Amino acid sequence: MKFRLASELQRRLVEYPPPGWIAKREVGLLSPKLTRVLGYRPCVDLLLESQAAAQRIWVEFEISRADPVANHTKFASAHLIDPLPSGDVFVSLVSNDIARGRANLGAHAIFLLRLAGLHAFQMPLLPSLDAETIKKLNQGRIGLDAVPDLGMVEVIELTYPVCGSAAVSRIYYATNRLEVLLNLHQWN
């Protein structure tokens, strides 16, 4: 069974990227030489590149994966071996079809990515759709015309600090519940 939702989201965003951005699908983050050495190819579902600034946002669609942190680990490993530009941002968009514990594991992995020096976020993917609807869309049991707009402009805006400019004083909106709890735990 071919899963269709990620392909449809990629197609839409490549065809109609957010204003001021270019979108590319399935982009590798390492050189071919380093990919051969490692034996794997860290590849993002969608790469958004700003036309005005040297900024890239790597977007992963975590729709129904059994292990939604596998890509987080690949990107962290790639970054440790060949550091990516400081303007790059990793965004994991997690659907309601991902079990709560696995989504929380992904949120924890975001903190680990941040400790490794990456700007990383986990946000809801299509939050207005319940798990069963996501599953039906992904399996082709519902037409993809039922997929709402992703709201990528809002996703991009959430990757910008609310205030602060130095790495230690940047403050961002919390993008998921576990992030709020982890921040409270860390501050207390």
Side-chain angles (χ1 to χ4, degrees):
M1 177 180 309
K2 182 171 170 51
F3 296 107
R4 303 173 45 197
L5 187 54
S7 294
E8 174 63 12
L9 296 173
Q10 289 171 321
R11 184 197 65 74
R12 286 184 186 186
L13 287 164
V14 167
E15 192 171 333
Y16 303 105
W21 294 81
I22 296 169
K24 299 174 186 173
R25 61 192 302 171
E26 300 298 328
V27 177
L29 297 174
L30 296 176
S31 69
K33 181 180 178 183
L34 194 50
T35 298
R36 281 191 304 279
V37 168
L38 293 175
Y40 64 88
R41 181 176 182 249
C43 187
V44 293
D45 288 336
L46 188 78
L47 181 68
L48 293 172
E49 295 179 288
S50 171
Q51 293 175 315
Q55 182 182 14
R56 300 184 312 171
I57 299 177
W58 339 326
V59 179
E60 276 299 313
F61 300 120
E62 302 299 350
I63 296 170
S64 59
R65 286 183 69 115
D67 184 6
V69 299
N71 287 319
H72 299 52
T73 305
K74 287 185 212 173
F75 300 139
S77 176
H79 178 69
L80 291 173
I81 292 167
D82 186 17
L84 294 154
S86 63
D88 282 16
V89 176
F90 171 70
V91 175
S92 175
L93 296 176
V94 178
S95 86
N96 286 323
D97 194 28
I98 300 288
R100 184 176 61 100
R102 294 187 187 277
N104 287 343
L105 183 60
H108 279 122
I110 291 298
F111 271 79
L112 295 173
L113 288 169
R114 290 176 183 172
L115 290 173
L118 288 168
H119 299 289
F121 301 88
Q122 179 169 302
M123 300 176 198
L125 170 66
L126 304 169
S128 63
L129 301 179
D130 63 23
E132 189 58 31
T133 303
I134 293 283
K135 192 174 300 195
K136 287 177 182 177
L137 282 166
N138 202 32
Q139 295 173 349
R141 293 186 284 150
I142 298 177
L144 292 171
D145 54 329
V147 177
D149 179 52
L150 265 179
M152 284 307 290
V153 171
E154 292 81 8
V155 168
I156 292 168
E157 288 174 355
L158 287 172
T159 67
Y160 298 138
V162 176
C163 63
S165 58
V168 291
S169 67
R170 287 187 200 142
I171 298 173
Y172 297 88
Y173 281 108
T175 55
N176 63 69
R177 287 183 214 154
L178 186 60
E179 187 171 0
V180 172
L181 294 173
L182 290 172
N183 283 331
L184 287 171
H185 177 75
Q186 186 177 18
W187 292 329
N188 289 326

